[in-house]
Each structure stands twice: as structure tokens, then as C-alpha cells.
Amino acid sequence: VANSNGGQPMTPEQLYAANLASCVGITVSTTSVNIFGQTTTSAASGSGFVLTQDGYIVTNYHVIEDAVDDSSVSIEVSFADGAQYTATLVGGEQDNDVAVLKIDATGLQPVTLGDSEQLVVGETVYTIGNPLGELTFSLTGGYVSALDRNVTMSDGRRMNYIQTDTAINSGNSGGPLFDMDGNVIGVTSAKFSGSTSSGTTIEGLGFAIPINDALRVAYDLVEYGYVKGAYLGVSLQNLDSNTANYYSLPVGPRVEEVV
């Protein structure tokens, strides 16, 4: 469902006011006992947004990954009006970096959803999030810098992203990326920062998961608790040049077995 503002794009002030109640801060707290027998608590922060009136919330997998296999980890969700809820993890999918939480609430204001396939480079976009986990419900804006960026993450995963110069910092992860009609068209997820090996400073390189991709994952998590997918049905072995030459075969994957 698209927002309407009399056929005109929203101003930043209108966009913020219309969507603030749909945005949340997420705090993941881990309690452990150190070698001296003392109980310590550490926390990580992120952002998210309300998907349904009855309390389903979308965020990044990497925001809540500590809670995936550890029941002692708590997830707290905070709203701009001061309301706080303990959330349960519905499910998460690491490869696509999407997770869904559920809070015990009704009558929430869900975001309106856009179509990331309709984006064009140069569009103005905004995000509402919690940079550093302290500067809560901050609005930052910029442009769609590029589409369909295939980015290799630090753990080797390859992600398809919207590139934007909107300021995205630690704590913004999982928040909504809005178009100027106030519709969510992406999930803010990552940034490049620091400097290159040559000493060149990196600025303005933020990335968001296209909402069309994120929703396919989120809906499977809500419906099944996991992401449904196809299975190739074969086992493969990758042949290096030495092995391939020995068997007079081309370099690359070879089907070893039909399962």
C-alpha cells in the first residue's frame, strides 16, 4: 500500500512524522559469567520497523544473531513514545541478513511498503534509525547512488544491495530506507568505512537490502519459521587445473552424484 500526499512527494519533516511510530530500536543483551564468577552483561544495538499491526518486526539477522541459538540472550524493542517490549525471535536467515521478531502488542502502525524494482538512481531516500545505539530515532538522507550492487561481505557472502550515500552507521542496521512517498524500499544493512590500502578515505558508501528481496525472506520466516528454497539434487566436486588435466576434463565443478 503506497502512501499518498496529494500526489506530491513528502517533505523530510512529513516523512519523519508519518513514519516515526513505525520505527524501533533493538537492543540485544547477553548475560554471561566470567572466570571470577561475576555476572556480566553486554549489549548490541540495531534498528527495525513494524511490518504488521499485531507486532511482527523486521530487522537484520546480524543484529540479533547472538540470540539465534542462545535462550539466555534477550531482545528488547523500543518505540519513540517510550514503549518497550521483550521480543521473541520468529526466525532469521543469515545468507540474506533478514530476521523477524514478534512482540506482544496490537494496534501498531506498520510501515507502508514500496517496490524496490521501481527505484532509479538519483532518487532521494531517507532512513530512521539508532546510530551508535545512543542517537536514537535519527533521520538521515541522501540519494540512491547505484542499484544491484553485488557486494562481497567480510564473511564471504555475496549480497545484492541498493547503494546510497545516506549516512548508515553502527546501530542503523535493520532500519527502513524510505522513498520520498514514505514507502519502505530497503533495509539499511551495511557501510564501507575507514580507508583503502593506498590510504584513500572511504565516505558515503552505504548499502540497503532491496525491500522486495527482504520481504520474500520475511514472509517465509513468518509463515514457516525458515526460508523455503530449492535443492539442486546433486553433489559437486570442484576440479582444480591439476586434477582436470589428469582426467582430461575442463576446470570447474563436476557432478559427482545425483542425490
Side-chain angles (χ1 to χ4, degrees), residues 120-142:
V120 296
V121 173
E123 278 194 57
T124 301
V125 288
Y126 288 90
T127 188
I128 299 173
N130 303 284
L132 308 182
E134 299 176 356
L135 305 175
T136 55
F137 302 102
S138 296
L139 176 73
T140 56

Side-chain angles (χ1 to χ4, degrees), residues 29-65:
S29 300
T30 304
T31 301
S32 60
V33 179
N34 62 24
I35 59 174
F36 303 106
Q38 299 170 320
T39 300
T40 61
T41 301
S42 59
S45 299
S47 303
F49 57 90
V50 176
L51 185 64
T52 65
Q53 291 181 340
D54 59 348
Y56 284 99
I57 291 171
V58 175
T59 187
N60 281 146
Y61 178 91
H62 73 259
V63 171
I64 54 80
E65 61 183 332

Side-chain angles (χ1 to χ4, degrees), residues 83-139:
Q84 294 184 318
Y85 299 87
T86 297
T88 56
L89 176 61
V90 174
E93 214 275 334
Q94 184 176 21
D95 288 345
N96 291 290
D97 200 17
V98 174
V100 176
L101 308 176
K102 180 68 168 65
I103 61 174
D104 185 12
T106 57
L108 300 177
Q109 177 185 314
V111 296
T112 54
L113 299 169
D115 182 0
S116 51
E117 292 295 327
Q118 300 303 312
L119 282 175
V120 296
V121 173
E123 278 194 57
T124 301
V125 288
Y126 288 90
T127 188
I128 299 173
N130 303 284
L132 308 182
E134 299 176 356
L135 305 175
T136 55
F137 302 102
S138 296
L139 176 73

Side-chain angles (χ1 to χ4, degrees), residues 36-234:
F36 303 106
Q38 299 170 320
T39 300
T40 61
T41 301
S42 59
S45 299
S47 303
F49 57 90
V50 176
L51 185 64
T52 65
Q53 291 181 340
D54 59 348
Y56 284 99
I57 291 171
V58 175
T59 187
N60 281 146
Y61 178 91
H62 73 259
V63 171
I64 54 80
E65 61 183 332
D66 289 344
V68 172
D69 297 313
D70 190 343
S71 59
S72 67
V73 177
S74 65
I75 305 173
E76 299 294 326
V77 172
S78 302
F79 287 80
D81 64 1
Q84 294 184 318
Y85 299 87
T86 297
T88 56
L89 176 61
V90 174
E93 214 275 334
Q94 184 176 21
D95 288 345
N96 291 290
D97 200 17
V98 174
V100 176
L101 308 176
K102 180 68 168 65
I103 61 174
D104 185 12
T106 57
L108 300 177
Q109 177 185 314
V111 296
T112 54
L113 299 169
D115 182 0
S116 51
E117 292 295 327
Q118 300 303 312
L119 282 175
V120 296
V121 173
E123 278 194 57
T124 301
V125 288
Y126 288 90
T127 188
I128 299 173
N130 303 284
L132 308 182
E134 299 176 356
L135 305 175
T136 55
F137 302 102
S138 296
L139 176 73
T140 56
Y143 300 100
V144 173
S145 303
L147 299 169
D148 298 319
R149 285 294 196 206
N150 201 313
V151 178
T152 301
M153 310 305 291
S154 58
D155 59 5
R157 289 178 298 115
R158 296 187 69 82
M159 296 284 294
N160 175 58
Y161 279 131
I162 301 164
Q163 181 185 331
T164 177
D165 64 346
T166 303
I168 297 172
N169 291 286
S170 176
N172 277 113
S173 293
L177 188 69
F178 297 99
D179 65 17
M180 287 307 295
D181 291 320
N183 304 311
V184 176
I185 46 79
V187 182
T188 56
S189 299
K191 66 174 291 188
F192 284 158
S193 60
S195 58
T196 66
S197 57
S198 63
T200 302
T201 300
I202 301 171
E203 294 181 358
L205 292 180
F207 298 93
I209 303 168
I211 194 62
N212 293 19
D213 296 346
L215 287 178
R216 282 192 285 269
V217 176
Y219 289 146
D220 269 3
L221 292 173
V222 170
E223 184 71 21
Y224 310 108
Y226 62 93
V227 178
K228 300 181 73 173
Y231 180 62
L232 185 59
V234 297

